[in-house]
Amino acid sequence: MQTLQKLTLPSMGCGTWAWGNQLLWGYHESMDHQLQAVFNLCVSNGVTLFDTGDSYGTGRLNGRSELLLGRFSQEYVGLGKENICIATKIAAYPWRWTRKSMVEACKSSAQRLGRNVDLVQMHWSTANYAPWQEGGLLDGLADLYEQRLVKGVGLSNYGPKRLKQVQKKFAERGVPISTLQVQYSLLSTYPVTQLKLKDLCDELGIKLIAYSPLALGLLTGKYSEQGPLPKGIRGLLFRQILPGMRSLLACLQEVAHSRNKTMSQVAINWCICKGTIPIPGAKSVEQARENIGALGWQLNASEIAELDRAAANADKKMVQNIFQTK
């Protein structure tokens, strides 16, 4: 466990993008009972960080993920309750551009959660398309920390150049950046290998959170070119990427077999070995149990090197988040 201010982060968290998302993940209210079981299993096994966002939950289900997390954390009784850490990402919607709008947004999240947000994060930078918008939002983020409405602040989808600028701006106000969240997996090494974000984060005392460590499910070994593939956007993406990652999947399978682990567990453990906090999602108890199986052991140096080589040689990589800045 590492304490950042009064923020305690475990070595792995749980992503809750699917909790309320019908479009990509086929969420339905009938899943809530199962999701509560996922939450309970995670917390009782030391997976106490839950990552959400105020934009999670589509249409009439707006804010659904936060509402569920609030309910589950209140109803949970058992080991690890005091360590539950809810991290929410505030969306940089076009109509949000003042510092006050950021504070209000976080207060709305707290209302849905029925408790304060532990770690508030800027969901993405507007530097790529509306640089004028970002100043006010960042001021609001720092205000939340100063007003003690949160235990820590973090950023998401920021590159090294922007991260240095924000860190400098925050340091002048005595506000530390606790975390940076980026898309990182064996299929998306770009933030670390090319942008060198891990080195910079280490230098600045920031923890790197790896979202999509299983590349939307591509690294689980459950999907092959022969199909069947998931419906919709994921299926289209998988069809494009799977042919170029045969050698990576073969390598993952080999390591998993020799370790008596699943491919998912090896892919998540690789992220942990790289010094990041992976936040794989889980919609079922089986998935949560499998994710938890990535803890309590470590890949050795030669296995990591083998996986690194296979990752570097994959023809197709995951599509980078359009909001990821340099």
Side-chain angles (χ1 to χ4, degrees):
M1 289 287 191
Q2 179 166 355
T3 307
L4 300 158
Q5 274 43 61
K6 289 173 294 178
L7 197 65
T8 310
L9 299 173
S11 49
M12 182 176 87
C14 176
T16 64
W17 181 21
W19 301 14
N21 187 303
Q22 287 173 313
L23 182 70
L24 202 66
W25 299 105
Y27 166 81
H28 189 269
E29 279 106 323
S30 60
M31 296 176 177
D32 290 356
H33 188 67
Q34 173 95 298
L35 294 177
Q36 183 153 25
V38 166
F39 181 90
N40 296 350
L41 183 70
C42 284
V43 178
S44 60
N45 280 278
V47 179
T48 49
L49 169 67
F50 293 87
D51 181 75
T52 185
D54 70 347
S55 62
Y56 288 1
T58 38
R60 65 180 181 83
L61 295 169
N62 195 23
R64 185 74 181 171
S65 174
E66 290 178 332
L67 282 165
L68 289 173
L69 277 172
R71 196 170 89 203
F72 300 162
S73 64
Q74 277 155 27
E75 290 175 11
Y76 179 81
V77 282
L79 208 63
K81 188 176 173 78
E82 68 290 346
N83 295 329
I84 293 171
C85 176
I86 296 181
T88 205
K89 297 187 290 296
I90 307 286
Y93 291 133
W95 59 87
R96 280 183 188 156
W97 47 274
T98 63
R99 59 202 300 167
K100 191 167 177 270
S101 66
M102 203 67 174
V103 174
E104 291 308 315
C106 188
K107 283 180 176 172
S108 298
S109 289
Q111 216 165 358
R112 283 189 289 274
L113 290 165
R115 53 173 283 171
N116 270 4
V117 171
D118 295 302
L119 173 66
V120 67
Q121 305 157 96
M122 179 87 157
H123 204 152
W124 65 85
S125 167
T126 66
N128 288 349
Y129 62 95
W132 59 268
Q133 187 189 359
E134 199 170 44
L137 299 181
L138 290 168
D139 284 338
L141 202 64
D143 290 344
L144 285 161
Y145 183 82
E146 281 181 352
Q147 291 169 26
R148 304 198 169 196
L149 292 169
V150 296
K151 290 179 187 173
V153 299
L155 302 172
S156 181
N157 300 307
Y158 274 67
K161 194 176 153 206
R162 293 293 300 145
L163 176 60
K164 278 183 205 158
Q165 289 167 350
V166 179
Q167 197 269 341
K168 189 170 176 289
K169 179 183 167 87
F170 278 19
E172 284 162 9
R173 290 179 64 179
V175 176
I177 297 171
S178 296
T179 57
L180 170 66
Q181 190 174 140
V182 289
Q183 177 181 286
Y184 183 61
S185 70
L186 280 160
L187 263 187
S188 175
T189 59
Y190 170 77
V192 170
T193 51
Q194 276 148 286
L195 295 182
K196 306 284 184 224
L197 275 167
K198 181 70 177 73
D199 298 340
L200 180 59
C201 283
D202 288 350
E203 196 186 303
L204 300 174
I206 296 169
K207 275 305 255 180
L208 197 61
I209 294 176
Y211 74 77
S212 211
L214 296 173
L216 301 180
L218 277 164
L219 296 169
T220 61
K222 289 170 191 159
Y223 303 101
S224 72
E225 292 166 69
Q226 288 71 48
L229 297 175
K231 291 190 188 80
I233 307 164
R234 274 171 79 218
L236 292 171
L237 187 68
F238 285 19
R239 199 165 282 120
Q240 285 172 1
I241 296 176
L242 278 164
M245 57 180 290
R246 286 175 201 152
S247 58
L248 173 58
L249 287 175
C251 178
L252 206 47
Q253 194 165 22
E254 201 180 309
V255 176
H257 184 71
S258 72
R259 278 279 179 171
N260 201 18
K261 298 288 177 190
T262 66
M263 287 163 77
S264 295
Q265 288 164 350
V266 171
I268 295 168
N269 192 276
W270 177 86
C271 289
I272 295 170
C273 290
K274 293 289 181 181
T276 71
I277 301 174
I279 48 168
K283 286 192 298 179
S284 67
V285 170
E286 293 74 45
Q287 284 175 349
R289 198 171 284 128
E290 187 165 352
N291 293 348
I292 290 161
L295 298 172
W297 60 282
Q298 272 204 319
L299 291 162
N300 64 39
S302 68
E303 289 166 331
I304 293 167
E306 216 177 302
L307 287 163
D308 285 353
R309 268 194 303 275
N313 293 330
D315 292 344
K316 280 266 178 121
K317 308 278 199 290
M318 272 302 278
V319 182
Q320 285 306 304
N321 191 308
I322 54 163
F323 294 121
Q324 176 66 50
T325 59
K326 290 283 195 295

